[in-house]
């Protein structure tokens, strides 16, 4: 967690040095499909991050990291978790439960005074 805090501080200094007039958002998330803890920086507010699916903003970085650390075998899927695709059309179609990806974000820059909402993005 300290490494991410230092990264945010370094980005804030760099934005100030460059005189960047826009907004910059540093964000961290647990990519469950890849079994990775990831981070990135985007020139958009936190409620407009470039994810292809839904997400929810979290003020608690620890929760995001704990989700990653709780994986027994990151990125691996056991045989018991796989479905037989030959019988897929015969199965009842049940909508999967939608679980929003948790994203910790810190918005900074000259335009960061705008309030950040925690809305799903999709």
């Amino acid at each position: 967690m300290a490494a991410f805090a230092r990264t945010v501080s370094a980005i804030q200094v760099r934005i100030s040095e460059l005189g960047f007039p826009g907004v910059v958002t540093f964000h961290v998330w647990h990519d469950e499909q890849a079994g990775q803890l990831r981070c990135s920086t985007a020139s958009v507010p936190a409620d407009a991050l470039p994810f292809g699916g839904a997400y929810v903003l979290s003020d608690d970085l620890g929760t995001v990291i704990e989700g990653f650390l709780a994986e027994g075998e990151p990125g691996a899927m056991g045989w018991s978790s796989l479905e037989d695709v030959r019988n897929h059309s015969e199965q009842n179609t049940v909508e999967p439960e939608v679980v929003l990806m948790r994203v910790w974000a810190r918005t900074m820059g000259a335009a960061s005074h705008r309030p950040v909402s925690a809305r799903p993005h999709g």
Side-chain angles (χ1 to χ4, degrees):
M1 288 182 15
F4 291 127
R6 285 191 304 269
T7 301
V8 168
S9 294
I11 292 170
Q12 287 174 323
V13 167
R14 189 71 176 138
I15 289 169
S16 178
E17 289 174 351
L18 293 173
F20 182 70
V23 63
V24 174
T25 302
F26 176 76
H27 50 289
V28 179
W29 72 100
H30 172 207
D31 183 335
E32 290 186 33
Q33 280 187 310
Q36 298 174 341
L37 185 62
R38 295 185 176 201
C39 65
S40 187
T41 306
S43 298
V44 297
D47 62 352
L49 294 171
F51 289 111
Y55 67 94
V56 64
L57 295 172
S58 174
D59 286 333
D60 186 5
L61 175 58
T63 302
V64 175
I65 293 173
E66 286 171 12
F68 167 71
L69 294 175
E71 278 194 32
E73 296 182 48
M77 179 179 283
W79 286 105
S80 62
S81 299
L82 301 176
E83 293 181 17
D84 185 354
V85 293
R86 291 174 291 176
N87 297 328
H88 188 67
S89 62
E90 298 170 10
Q91 297 174 356
N92 294 333
T93 55
V94 177
E95 290 293 321
E97 180 182 335
V98 176
V99 178
L100 296 178
M101 179 175 60
R102 289 178 122 10
V103 178
W104 178 82
R106 287 296 172 259
T107 300
M108 56 204 109
S112 66
H113 63 277
R114 297 184 334 194
V116 175
S117 64
R119 70 170 174 83
H121 180 74

